[in-house]
Amino acid sequence: MNKLFSLIEKLEKEHKLSLEEYKFLIDNRSEESAKILAEKAIRVRREIYGNAVFIRGLIEVSNFCKNDCLYCGIRRSNKKCERYRLTKEEILECCEEGYKLGFRTFVLQGGEDAHFNDEVLCDIVKEIKNNHPDCAVTLSLGERSEESYRKLKLAGADRYLLRHETADAEHFGVLHPKYQTL
C-alpha cells in the first residue's frame, strides 16, 4: 500500500508516471486510493478553472467524409446516412443564435469533407471572429496538413481538436481499411 500512495504523491508532484507505474496504480486501485486521486484532481481543477462552467456550442457542419472508418456512422460507404453540409450563412446563423444564448466557444466539427478546404474554412473563421471577437473557435474536421493548421490559426481559429481512435496495429487496420497494408 505504501508504494500505491507514494505513486499518487509522485503523480501529483511530477504530473506523470512510467507505464509500469500507471499499471501498478490501476492494478492496485482501492476505494481509498480512488478517493484520494479524485480529491487531488478536484483540487487541481479548482486551482486552474475555479468553479466556472464552460459551455461550448457544437455545430455539426457536415456529415460527408472521404474516409471509410468501420466504426463511424458517417463513413463514406454508409449508404443509409442522409448527407448534409451547412452553408457559410447557416454556420454564421448558428453562431449568432448561440451567442444570444450565452455560448462563447463555437466548435465546428464534421467529417473530412473536401468542401471545407482552407479557403472556405478561413473565410468562415474570420467572419465568426469578426462578428464575435470575444469568442473562441475550435475546429474538428479531421486530419489536415501542417500548412492547413497554420492557415486556420492565422485566420483566428483558437484550437483544433484532432481525434485519435487507436495506434494499435492490430485494430488500426480493422478500423481504417485503407491502411491495412501498412
Side-chain angles (χ1 to χ4, degrees):
M1 271 312 200
N2 279 346
K3 181 177 179 181
L4 181 68
F5 294 107
S6 67
L7 286 176
I8 291 172
E9 293 303 316
K10 180 180 178 182
L11 181 59
E12 180 180 27
K13 288 178 184 150
E14 298 178 21
H15 305 285
K16 64 180 179 181
L17 296 174
S18 70
L19 288 178
E20 295 80 25
E21 290 170 327
Y22 278 120
K23 182 177 181 344
F24 184 88
L25 199 66
I26 292 167
D27 289 346
N28 294 281
R29 181 177 180 263
S30 66
E31 208 172 297
E32 183 183 2
S33 66
K35 182 180 177 189
I36 290 169
L37 283 165
E39 288 169 355
K40 290 180 182 295
I42 290 167
R43 183 183 49 74
V44 170
R45 179 192 44 85
R46 283 194 178 132
E47 286 174 8
I48 296 170
Y49 299 107
N51 284 326
V53 175
F54 299 92
I55 300 172
R56 293 170 175 85
L58 269 63
I59 304 169
E60 297 282 347
V61 299
S62 171
N63 70 352
F64 284 88
C65 189
K66 71 177 186 174
N67 296 319
D68 206 25
C69 304
L70 296 178
Y71 60 87
C72 186
I74 65 169
R75 67 182 171 274
R76 181 184 67 237
S77 66
N78 184 354
K79 303 294 186 220
K80 295 180 181 178
C81 182
E82 285 188 43
R83 303 292 176 178
Y84 71 88
R85 178 182 293 132
L86 298 185
T87 65
K88 174 185 173 182
E89 291 72 26
E90 290 170 322
I91 294 168
L92 295 174
E93 286 173 21
C94 288
C95 292
E96 190 61 40
E97 185 64 28
Y99 192 84
K100 290 176 191 172
L101 293 170
F103 294 102
R104 294 300 179 265
T105 298
F106 301 112
V107 182
L108 278 56
Q109 66 181 25
E112 288 189 37
D113 183 349
H115 170 78
F116 288 101
N117 60 33
D118 292 343
E119 183 180 342
V120 170
L121 271 179
C122 287
D123 182 50
I124 292 169
V125 169
K126 285 177 186 175
E127 188 134 358
I128 293 170
K129 295 298 269 194
N130 184 55
N131 295 346
H132 308 290
D134 59 327
C135 291
V137 175
T138 299
L139 302 172
S140 183
L141 299 161
E143 295 177 35
R144 303 179 83 85
S145 69
E146 186 176 341
E147 179 64 21
S148 177
Y149 296 129
R150 192 175 289 111
K151 287 177 182 178
L152 295 168
K153 177 72 173 165
L154 289 172
D158 298 281
R159 297 175 203 93
Y160 199 95
L161 173 62
L162 185 59
R163 297 183 186 277
H164 176 73
E165 302 299 334
T166 183
D168 178 85
E170 182 181 344
H171 295 100
F172 192 78
V174 173
L175 298 176
H176 303 274
K178 73 177 181 180
Y179 295 111
Q180 283 181 346
T181 58
L182 295 180

